């Protein structure tokens, strides 16, 4: 039996869209399911785009859609982006259809000199067929130097992650004057992935 493509002469390429400044689950979803699970949505609250995350399950694999402003596990406290104001609320607009018992999540953590100052969670369940405004209370009680923000179409630690759950977010902001970088998900990059 021959080895497929033994001389590495055959290569394939495909493209992936990603919101600027937000790491996401597309690489894994594309490798396992052949399609991304974080997409640029024209079903938006404001501007031109929003971000859509979807949970996919099949063949023994589970990949929930997520975005995070850090390449590391957000819960570990690594990474994030500079932020020096002290907000008390994360606000935004959400649209979602979460399968029974599944839960979408938004996570915000503030740090100073590498130490976590606060870690807050916001949970979404059920269905909202129209954009719903939300305000997520934050427990920050000191001035930070950075912030980690993440969201997922299913709660990673949940017991009922379900195929087909989806979450669309748009226009994320704090109740401070400094904006969240690309919090409105208007800016996207297209990358080309090539493999033998």
């Amino acid at each position: 039996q021959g080895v497929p493509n033994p001389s590495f002469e055959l290569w394939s390429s495909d493209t992936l869209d990603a919101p600027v400044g937000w790491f996401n689950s597309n690489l894994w979803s594309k490798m396992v399911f052949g399609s991304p699970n974080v997409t640029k949505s024209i079903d938006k609250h404001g501007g031109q785009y929003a971000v859509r995350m979807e949970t996919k399950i099949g063949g023994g694999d589970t990949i929930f859609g997520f975005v995070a402003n850090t390449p590391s596990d957000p819960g570990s406290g690594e990474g994030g982006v500079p932020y020096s104001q002290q907000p008390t609320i994360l606000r935004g607009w959400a649209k979602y259809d979460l399968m029974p018992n599944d839960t979408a999540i938004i996570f915000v953590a503030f740090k100073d000199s590498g130490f976590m100052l606060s870690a807050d969670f916001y949970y979404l369940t059920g269905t909202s067929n129209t954009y719903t405004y939300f305000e997520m209370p934050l427990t920050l009680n000191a001035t930070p130097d950075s912030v980690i923000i993440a969201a997922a179409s299913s709660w990673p630690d949940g017991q009922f992650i379900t195929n087909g759950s989806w979450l669309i977010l748009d226009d994320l902001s704090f109740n401070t004057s400094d904006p969240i970088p690309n919090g409105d998900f208007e800016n996207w990059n297209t990358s080309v992935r090539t493999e033998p």
Side-chain angles (χ1 to χ4, degrees):
Q1 181 174 350
V3 176
N5 197 19
S7 60
F8 298 99
E9 292 300 314
L10 303 175
W11 290 73
S12 64
S13 296
D14 56 28
T15 59
L16 288 172
D17 286 332
V20 173
W22 296 92
F23 298 88
N24 61 72
S25 52
N26 275 348
L27 181 60
W28 297 279
S29 182
K30 189 83 169 176
M31 287 190 302
V32 174
F33 296 107
S35 60
N37 66 347
V38 173
T39 54
K40 182 193 308 182
S41 176
I42 58 172
D43 181 1
K44 79 285 184 200
H45 171 261
Q48 290 184 314
Y49 307 115
V51 64
R52 186 182 193 276
M53 297 157 273
E54 183 175 349
T55 300
K56 294 186 177 186
I57 298 176
D61 290 304
T62 300
I63 301 177
F64 52 86
F66 75 84
V67 293
N69 68 349
T70 177
S72 304
D73 171 20
S76 70
E78 295 179 14
V81 298
Y83 202 86
S84 60
Q85 294 191 337
Q86 193 175 330
T88 57
I89 292 172
L90 171 74
R91 55 196 176 197
W93 294 85
K95 200 173 175 182
Y96 47 92
D97 185 13
L98 305 169
M99 301 298 109
N101 299 314
D102 204 353
T103 303
I105 186 170
I106 301 170
F107 173 76
V108 178
F110 289 93
K111 305 186 312 178
D112 182 39
S113 301
F115 295 99
M116 297 270 279
L117 299 175
S118 65
D120 297 294
F121 300 86
Y122 189 78
Y123 303 99
L124 298 161
T125 59
T127 299
S128 177
N129 291 318
T130 59
Y131 271 100
T132 301
Y133 176 74
F134 68 88
E135 291 190 348
M136 174 183 172
L138 303 172
T139 59
L140 178 64
N141 56 15
T143 302
D145 64 15
S146 56
V147 63
I148 297 171
I149 305 170
S153 57
S154 292
W155 182 31
D157 295 332
Q159 298 179 3
F160 302 103
I161 296 176
T162 308
N163 187 56
S165 288
W166 58 264
L167 167 66
I168 301 175
L169 290 178
D170 202 2
D171 294 331
L172 298 183
S173 65
F174 292 124
N175 62 332
T176 53
S177 59
D178 280 354
I180 295 171
N182 200 24
D184 56 5
F185 302 101
E186 288 299 298
N187 300 311
W188 291 71
N189 279 335
T190 299
S191 60
V192 178
R193 183 174 67 100
T194 305
E195 62 181 15

